Amino acid sequence: MALIEIEKLSLEPAGDEEDVVDPWNVQSKNDAGIDYEKLIKRFGSSKIDDELLTRFEKLTGKKPHHWLRRGIFFSHRDVHVILNMYEQGKPFYLYTGRGPSSESMHLGHLIPFMFCKWLQDVFNVPQVIQLTDDEKSIWKDLKIEDAIKMSYNNAKDIIACGFNPEKTFIFSDLEHIGNNPAFYQNMIRIQRCVTFNQVRGIFGFGDSDPVAKISFPPTQAAPAFSSTFPFIFKGAKVNCLIPCAIDQDPYFRMSRDIAPRIGFPKPALIHSCFFPALQGSKTKMSASDSNSAIFLNDTPKQIKNKINKHAFSGGQATVEEHRTLGGNCEVDISYQWLRFFLEDDERLVELEKGYTAGEILTGELKKELIEVLQPLVAAHQERRSKITDEVVKQFMVPRDLGFIAKK
């Protein structure tokens, strides 16, 4: 049964599908970007619907995050199980990660961390954050020392999101795994459950790929099982909720298949859509292309110039045509980015209606976005400036996070 289930996880799209979504590539031929309805069907996940959001609000007493309300986090696996546990007073923990491939993160990288910080505040639960510097060393052919350095730089950006230091553990794979036998033991348990043919079918590895790539998926899967962190969970089998972009889902479909075989609950997932590149929604932002993204160390002037110069427009060729025909919010990057970072629901509706009707021009939409992002990035930079190396070490020391298993 397990063999059949894992083999269904191939990343190859069906013949009539044009979108490419895997942990390393996101591409669409459609100007509006990935067809997420098709992706839900292809991946076999569940859509986040009004019923789930209503239950979330009823149980927590908190209005769902605007990313949930706007469908930016749009898909899930077993979030209802997590809500059941919360309702019953049973514990769970959050897990997400970052593959450090640049000295500075960009806005798109912040999405899972800002959301996790909000979830941590709402549920008051432990959070583990994996920095997969080993993965980037393999895929990007980075020196191990350089990959570790990037981990520490990225950790400062992550900490600046406001995580509770008493409930958050951040770790570098290249530094932590060798000092945590439980982590390595779980990696071996996972590796024993997956054949080469299965991992090739899931991730598309070829005969010429280095063995390091083939052996990496269990490293990302291991933190989804609480026994990986005995200093936090003290041997308890605790459910895990993983917020991530949907391109990371293959790792955790594998994890969910393996979980019963190694005696653990299946990790639950909540998926976000992709934060599009400035040039359009056909692909996601890239840390290797400085003009595709707003980086967290960009100046106000750089932010303004990048948006004015590179943000793909959904407007018409001339002002006259735009006034008559209106703009297309589905492809306009300024509007799409405002969906992420403009918290005022009423203002967003005004902008959508005005742009669609041709009453608001592309330049005005860009101006609105600039006025949202400049203070947001500046505030992040101010918080980050206060994150010293000593603060980073405090988050990265394996330690008790105050977890108490409830019977």
Side-chain angles (χ1 to χ4, degrees):
M1 176 63 184
L3 178 62
I4 295 172
E5 202 168 323
I6 290 182
E7 285 182 339
K8 287 180 181 177
L9 305 187
S10 172
L11 295 173
E12 292 298 321
D16 62 341
E17 291 178 321
E18 298 177 335
D19 294 344
V20 175
V21 177
D22 64 38
W24 309 282
N25 301 286
V26 176
Q27 293 181 337
S28 175
K29 293 183 179 179
N30 188 333
D31 284 341
I34 302 297
D35 186 328
Y36 290 104
E37 293 289 341
K38 282 187 177 180
L39 202 59
I40 286 173
K41 293 179 181 178
R42 181 172 138 205
F43 279 13
S45 59
S46 300
K47 185 175 181 178
I48 294 175
D49 56 19
D50 291 340
E51 182 180 350
L52 186 65
L53 296 184
T54 298
R55 185 167 184 236
F56 180 98
E57 185 167 1
K58 182 179 179 181
L59 289 177
T60 65
K62 304 288 185 182
K63 187 177 181 179
H65 195 284
H66 68 274
W67 290 344
L68 286 168
R69 303 195 307 268
R70 295 174 188 174
I72 286 169
F73 277 84
F74 69 100
S75 164
H76 75 99
R77 297 184 188 277
D78 287 350
V79 167
H80 63 280
V81 173
I82 296 296
L83 292 179
N84 288 344
M85 300 196 71
Y86 181 73
E87 186 175 26
Q88 297 162 13
K90 295 180 180 179
F92 69 94
Y93 70 102
L94 298 166
Y95 158 43
T96 197
R98 157 82 180 132
S101 59
S102 59
E103 293 292 335
S104 176
M105 292 163 57
H106 59 56
L107 282 175
H109 294 143
L110 281 187
I111 303 304
F113 300 110
M114 292 174 70
F115 190 64
C116 276
K117 192 271 180 187
W118 180 79
L119 288 173
Q120 185 183 63
D121 290 345
V122 169
F123 291 107
N124 191 30
V125 292
Q127 166 84 56
V128 297
I129 298 174
Q130 180 182 41
L131 300 173
T132 56
D133 39 17
D134 50 345
E135 177 198 18
K136 292 306 177 182
S137 180
I138 297 164
W139 264 264
K140 301 289 186 179
D141 198 24
L142 298 173
K143 291 182 180 179
I144 285 177
E145 296 79 8
D146 292 340
I148 294 173
K149 182 181 177 183
M150 288 180 184
S151 278
Y152 276 79
N153 280 329
N154 286 187
K156 291 184 176 181
D157 278 320
I158 293 168
I159 293 167
C161 291
F163 287 101
N164 182 349
E166 296 181 358
K167 290 188 174 291
T168 307
F169 174 54
I170 302 174
F171 62 96
S172 148
D173 281 351
L174 288 171
E175 290 195 329
H176 176 70
I177 294 173
N179 296 312
N180 181 357
F183 199 124
Y184 183 66
Q185 289 164 18
N186 271 351
M187 287 169 57
I188 296 300
R189 291 185 179 100
I190 296 165
Q191 288 174 359
R192 286 165 55 185
C193 292
V194 188
T195 69
F196 170 69
N197 281 340
Q198 289 166 346
V199 82
R200 181 170 57 184
I202 297 168
F203 297 100
F205 298 138
D207 293 339
S208 60
D209 279 315
V211 70
K213 287 187 178 182
I214 298 162
S215 63
F216 173 74
T219 307
Q220 185 160 322
F225 305 115
S226 57
S227 63
T228 298
F229 308 103
F231 49 88
I232 299 175
F233 300 109
K234 310 171 184 69
K237 293 184 177 180
V238 185
N239 283 65
C240 177
L241 173 61
I242 307 170
C244 62
I246 197 167
D247 60 338
Q248 298 302 301
D249 185 71
Y251 286 107
F252 304 116
R253 279 180 281 170
M254 182 188 78
S255 306
R256 285 169 56 82
D257 183 82
I258 290 165
R261 300 170 63 188
I262 63 175
F264 277 86
K266 292 183 177 184
L269 288 101
I270 185 165
H271 304 120
S272 72
C273 61
F274 303 113
F275 193 64
L278 277 169
Q279 287 78 6
S281 295
K282 290 184 177 181
T283 185
K284 64 178 181 178
M285 279 185 168
S286 171
S288 60
D289 182 356
S290 62
N291 289 324
S292 75
I294 300 298
F295 286 81
L296 299 178
N297 60 357
D298 279 348
T299 65
K301 184 177 180 180
Q302 286 175 315
I303 292 170
K304 180 179 180 180
N305 289 342
K306 283 184 179 182
I307 292 170
N308 281 332
K309 185 175 181 179
H310 298 291
F312 187 83
S313 170
Q316 304 300 329
T318 67
V319 171
E320 291 75 15
E321 288 180 359
H322 186 85
R323 295 293 190 199
T324 303
L325 301 174
N328 184 352
C329 286
E330 288 189 5
V331 303
D332 191 279
I333 289 301
S334 295
Y335 174 79
Q336 291 301 319
W337 282 26
L338 285 165
R339 289 184 66 238
F340 281 84
F341 291 114
L342 177 60
E343 295 187 17
D344 187 331
D345 289 336
E346 292 183 4
R347 179 57 179 158
L348 186 67
V349 170
E350 288 176 4
L351 292 171
E352 180 182 13
K353 289 181 177 178
Y355 193 63
T356 303
E359 297 165 1
I360 295 175
L361 301 175
T362 297
E364 294 171 298
L365 210 55
K366 289 184 175 184
K367 182 175 182 292
E368 185 97 17
L369 178 62
I370 291 165
E371 290 174 352
V372 168
L373 293 187
Q374 285 177 333
L376 185 150
V377 173
H380 181 89
Q381 291 170 354
E382 173 65 20
R383 293 191 300 270
R384 191 189 190 281
S385 69
K386 299 175 182 177
I387 309 297
T388 64
D389 292 342
E390 185 59 35
V391 170
V392 174
K393 288 179 182 178
Q394 290 173 6
F395 274 87
M396 298 183 80
V397 170
R399 65 202 187 279
D400 187 337
L401 296 183
F403 172 82
I404 299 174
K406 296 181 181 180
K407 297 181 180 180

